[in-house]
Amino acid sequence: MNPLRRAPAGKPVVEATPYDDLSSELRAGIDDAGRLRRLTSTWERILGHRRDELLDRALVDLVHPDDVTGVLSRLRQALESKSEKIGFEARLRDSRGEYVSLEWEGRFSSDDGLVHLAGRDLAERRRMASLVERAEERADRASRAESGFMSRMSHELRTPLTSVIGFSELLLKDGLEPQLELKAEQVLKAGRHLLALIDELLDISRVDGGTMTASTEPVQVNGLLRDALALAEPQAAGRDLNVRVDLEASRDVYVMADPQRLRQVILNLLSNAVKYNRPGGEIVLSCETGAESTLRVRIRDTGAGLTDERLARMFVPFDRLGAERTSIEGTGLGLVLSQRLIELMGGRLSAESEVGVGTTFTIELGVAKAPSLEPDETISEPDSNGQGLLSGHSVLIVEDNATNLDLLRELVVGAGARAMTARDGRSGFDLARQQEPSLILLDVHLPDFGGTVMVDALSKDSLTEGIPVIALSADGTRAQKQKLFDHGIVDYVTKPFDGAALVESVQQALARRR
Amino acid sequence: MSPATPKVMLVEDEDAVRLLLRLTLELGAVEIVEAPDGETALDLCSEDPPDVIFLDWAMPGMTGIEVCRALRSEAATRDTPIVMLTARSSDSEREEGLAAGADDYIAKPFSPETLLEKLRGLLGADVLLGPA
């Protein structure tokens, strides 16, 4: 409640509220003659004038001569409009004759017929702002220092770990006696566990210290999910798990996400669904559209499930919810990191569980508009419900000849993969970065780039470096072929090609991929 | 068999890591030259430039980045493939290495397979006998 309004109209009043001494705001009621009719005690404290001296005096008596015209016209504006909010800056003279810069806001009130003004000391405000700024800077520095420390520490820990992991791998390559092999394997396992811990801790500290930022962009969900699934499937098969996929709702849907981080999270959740499942159980990966244009990605397992009490500690660092008493390996940080990463992208990660039934993780992300494709770029979903030799994969075809392009696309979608196409090197490279396909079929005679240039560009980019490239050429000499292999292609197919042989070559390249 | 065994230089200040690199690369048919710091590496390179250089990032004295720039400014090693080794793994550091003229990048800890694969990629699949 405005303290100025409580007094009966007409009599000049000085008011004090219990908060006056905390406030640095000057409040006043000004009548139509420009006189101060009501005042808060802050006038006395900030300007040093005695209150009774001020009452009934014209406000402009205190105003700096240069500001008088402005103040009068603003007051008139408030009085005449009856409703407009006014705002201005004006300097007021204090009891020592010095001027205090103040920022004013005000409005006419029909309750008492006065214009009510509230003035803030600008110097005070600037001082507060700079205090806040300094405090923020200090906090920033502290958190950067902490994350710098973590990054330094991670470096120091990695160097000896290089020896632990490297030498035990070398020992195992030597072909040891079974007993020694067992021992070396334990060393290697422990080394890798430590490395995973260090990586996850460093990531968490980067998120908390604000040095990790998510670069979000529209990401085609199904492509990313299928790629992640292809990596997790061998693990699942090893434990005799049935993987069911229902991605109908997310067909052609894009979400705002950082593709590398999102893949990291999905792989982590899938790997959990494999590790904590019962043998012969099931994993269901599905999508559904959520409220307020979001997409929910669900990963459900048929593991032992968790009690509510344990579920509540799902995202607590190092709490492995009982799994520490099993032989299942884990750091107790994966879910914590996953949750922070998803939040960094503006999404949510939550979990539900039922004892004896299983656990479901849900990622909720904002739906994004599909990025516009260049006129020559296309993306085609797999035929035959994604069954076939290349099922679960995506293949980028970069080829300028339209007939060959159509033929290759049909082969790829017919074998159960998603196909994307580009007609020149530039857009092929962009599409590879944007979609991160499982494999690239590359015509080595593109209008803009030669084969080796293209292969080099792909292998030097962090988003595309791991993607195997198969070169297609009509006139390959032995030397040209060798040169392309030297630059890192995984296979070379001569045109005209046999469809079945090409699909087989793609399939083999994907199987070799680690 | 081959006319000349490829020469690989290892520039790494940590003895253990240098040994690990040597033992791993000796699985292939290569000659190995070791340098415990950047200054030694530059001296050795000016006498007899190697075919490939594995170069540690964080060393006392000259850093890997400085060594890399120095190698690139010498005619003898202007085009010699350089693979940076680093315990850091963020993209910005990786780009810094590539900007200084490195051809490739390996994050520590590395697996022997990765190391040999990079070597095969740089020297050509036929040049090097891979492990069984």
Side-chain angles (χ1 to χ4, degrees):
Chain A
M1 188 172 180
N2 187 338
L4 294 175
R5 296 219 176 130
R6 253 186 283 131
K11 273 189 249 162
V13 190
V14 174
E15 296 171 49
T17 71
Y19 308 108
D20 255 12
D21 55 341
L22 297 175
S23 166
S24 58
E25 209 168 58
L26 302 174
R27 290 184 170 224
I30 316 273
D31 65 14
D32 51 8
R35 285 173 306 188
L36 292 158
R37 303 287 291 173
R38 295 182 178 188
L39 291 170
T40 48
S41 62
T42 41
W43 286 73
E44 189 161 61
R45 185 158 54 80
I46 292 171
L47 295 177
H49 300 295
R50 280 184 37 210
R51 292 180 250 186
D52 50 354
E53 287 173 2
L54 289 179
L55 281 171
D56 273 341
R57 269 178 71 184
L59 172 66
V60 290
D61 284 356
L62 294 175
V63 172
H64 189 283
D66 293 350
D67 297 342
V68 169
T69 326
V71 170
L72 286 175
S73 86
R74 291 284 156 261
L75 285 176
R76 203 173 310 120
Q77 184 191 343
L79 279 166
E80 280 167 10
S81 76
K82 308 277 187 217
S83 61
E84 253 176 71
K85 193 174 165 189
I86 53 169
F88 56 94
E89 282 185 23
R91 288 159 284 180
L92 255 55
R93 198 175 58 246
D94 68 12
S95 57
R96 290 168 303 169
E98 281 169 26
Y99 285 95
V100 179
S101 289
L102 295 150
E103 188 178 44
W104 297 91
E105 279 187 348
R107 180 179 280 162
F108 175 78
S109 163
S110 53
D111 291 354
D112 52 15
L114 301 178
V115 176
H116 292 269
L117 290 179
R120 284 171 157 279
D121 185 344
L122 276 175
E124 174 76 3
R125 233 180 74 171
R126 285 190 197 108
R127 202 173 62 84
M128 288 304 291
S130 92
L131 274 179
V132 170
E133 208 172 280
R134 274 212 298 279
E136 278 171 356
E137 252 172 46
R138 263 201 306 278
D140 258 17
R141 262 205 310 277
S143 92
R144 269 201 308 272
E146 188 186 317
S147 128
F149 171 77
M150 282 300 293
S151 143
R152 177 72 210 252
M153 193 170 80
S154 126
H155 179 263
E156 295 301 322
L157 293 171
R158 272 162 182 276
T159 303
L161 259 186
T162 303
S163 289
V164 174
I165 294 175
F167 283 109
S168 48
E169 279 192 31
L170 277 182
L171 275 176
L172 287 165
K173 270 179 110 60
D174 284 346
L176 298 173
E177 288 170 39
Q179 274 214 336
L180 290 177
E181 190 174 290
L182 204 67
K183 292 171 188 163
E185 271 169 3
Q186 289 303 316
V187 176
L188 181 59
K189 211 166 90 178
R192 287 195 176 138
H193 179 87
L194 258 180
L195 180 62
L197 258 180
I198 293 168
D199 284 344
E200 282 169 358
L201 273 175
L202 183 64
D203 276 352
I204 289 176
S205 94
R206 279 182 184 151
V207 176
D208 287 355
T211 53
M212 183 189 284
T213 47
S215 45
T216 56
E217 56 185 275
V219 175
Q220 219 264 0
V221 188
N222 283 9
L224 189 139
L225 292 178
R226 287 213 169 91
D227 278 355
L229 209 55
L231 290 173
E233 255 164 356
Q235 277 179 285
R239 296 208 59 216
D240 232 1
L241 299 171
N242 178 33
V243 180
R244 282 205 295 133
V245 180
D246 178 9
L247 300 179
E248 201 44 52
S250 49
R251 201 183 173 88
D252 297 324
V253 171
Y254 287 75
V255 290
M256 273 318 269
D258 180 323
Q260 272 170 318
R261 299 295 174 193
L262 181 58
R263 181 185 300 110
Q264 184 181 349
V265 172
I266 303 275
L267 279 173
N268 179 248
L269 294 178
L270 284 173
S271 148
N272 280 350
V274 171
K275 283 197 297 188
Y276 300 106
N277 221 315
R278 61 179 161 80
E282 193 175 58
I283 297 174
V284 184
L285 173 66
S286 63
C287 285
E288 64 178 62
T289 44
E292 288 163 21
S293 47
T294 58
L295 184 80
R296 296 200 189 108
V297 181
R298 288 192 199 284
I299 294 171
R300 189 162 68 77
D301 66 48
T302 51
L306 295 163
T307 60
D308 286 352
E309 186 256 333
R310 282 199 164 153
L311 187 64
R313 289 183 288 124
M314 180 68 96
F315 299 102
V316 174
F318 299 113
D319 197 330
R320 294 196 54 216
L321 311 172
E324 66 279 7
R325 286 190 297 275
T326 67
S327 62
I328 304 167
E329 286 180 46
T331 57
L333 287 173
L335 285 175
V336 184
L337 179 58
S338 295
Q339 193 180 45
R340 307 234 176 136
L341 289 175
I342 292 294
E343 283 167 2
L344 199 61
M345 297 175 215
R348 257 161 38 97
L349 172 63
S350 55
E352 295 155 88
S353 192
E354 197 176 329
V355 175
V357 179
T359 305
T360 305
F361 286 92
T362 306
I363 299 171
E364 196 165 351
L365 287 165
V367 169
K369 246 181 72 185
S372 53
L373 294 174
E374 295 291 314
D376 285 338
E377 296 174 0
T378 66
I379 295 181
S380 319
E381 290 292 325
D383 272 2
S384 59
N385 241 342
Q387 297 303 305
L389 286 171
L390 305 181
S391 145
H393 293 292
S394 55
V395 176
L396 168 63
I397 305 157
V398 192
E399 159 74 87
D400 61 326
N401 179 298
T403 317
N404 278 338
L405 191 70
D406 288 343
L407 180 59
L408 288 164
R409 178 172 37 217
E410 268 175 43
L411 278 172
V412 168
V413 296
R418 285 173 78 226
M420 35 211 130
T421 66
R423 300 283 292 269
D424 58 64
R426 183 73 250 169
S427 55
F429 181 67
D430 289 345
L431 206 54
R433 285 182 47 99
Q434 180 194 323
Q435 300 283 331
E436 297 179 54
S438 332
L439 183 138
I440 299 171
L441 288 172
L442 175 70
D443 172 28
V444 297
H445 296 291
L446 293 170
D448 51 353
F449 290 136
T452 53
V453 174
M454 189 72 186
V455 173
D456 282 352
L458 289 166
S459 67
K460 288 221 167 94
D461 188 279
S462 63
L463 286 177
T464 57
E465 62 176 350
I467 305 175
V469 179
I470 296 180
L472 305 168
S473 172
D475 56 355
T477 63
R478 204 177 159 274
Q480 269 180 333
K481 190 170 158 179
Q482 184 57 49
K483 201 168 150 207
L484 282 162
F485 271 108
D486 289 349
H487 281 256
I489 62 162
V490 297
D491 206 347
Y492 184 93
V493 174
T494 314
K495 294 193 242 183
F497 46 80
D498 169 64
L502 181 83
V503 169
E504 202 187 313
S505 157
V506 172
Q507 190 200 4
Q508 281 174 0
L510 288 169
R512 281 197 303 269
R513 187 181 64 159
R514 280 175 304 147
Chain B
M1 261 281 292
S2 50
T5 314
K7 183 150 72 167
V8 179
M9 177 177 284
L10 310 177
V11 193
E12 163 70 63
D13 61 308
E14 293 277 341
D15 293 345
V17 179
R18 211 167 59 241
L19 178 65
L20 177 64
L21 286 166
R22 183 158 65 78
L23 293 179
T24 303
L25 293 173
E26 275 175 358
L27 293 168
V30 292
E31 184 194 336
I32 290 178
V33 188
E34 297 182 27
D37 54 60
E39 291 79 357
T40 313
L42 292 177
D43 284 348
L44 289 172
C45 281
S46 67
E47 287 162 24
D48 188 8
D51 298 297
V52 180
I53 302 169
F54 286 91
L55 177 59
D56 185 32
W57 178 302
M59 293 185 291
M62 287 179 87
T63 67
I65 292 290
E66 287 161 356
V67 176
C68 189
R69 288 207 190 95
L71 287 169
R72 285 295 177 242
S73 66
E74 293 293 326
T77 48
R78 183 162 296 142
D79 300 316
T80 310
I82 298 176
V83 181
M84 297 290 298
L85 299 167
T86 162
R88 314 180 203 207
S89 55
S90 79
D91 282 349
S92 65
E93 283 152 354
R94 177 199 166 85
E95 273 156 26
E96 195 183 336
L98 296 179
D103 296 272
D104 212 335
Y105 173 102
I106 293 181
K108 293 180 192 173
F110 48 83
S111 104
E113 289 304 332
T114 318
L115 199 63
L116 290 167
E117 228 164 71
K118 297 276 184 201
L119 190 63
R120 246 175 261 139
L122 290 169
L123 292 176
D126 300 342
V127 183
L128 184 71
L129 293 169

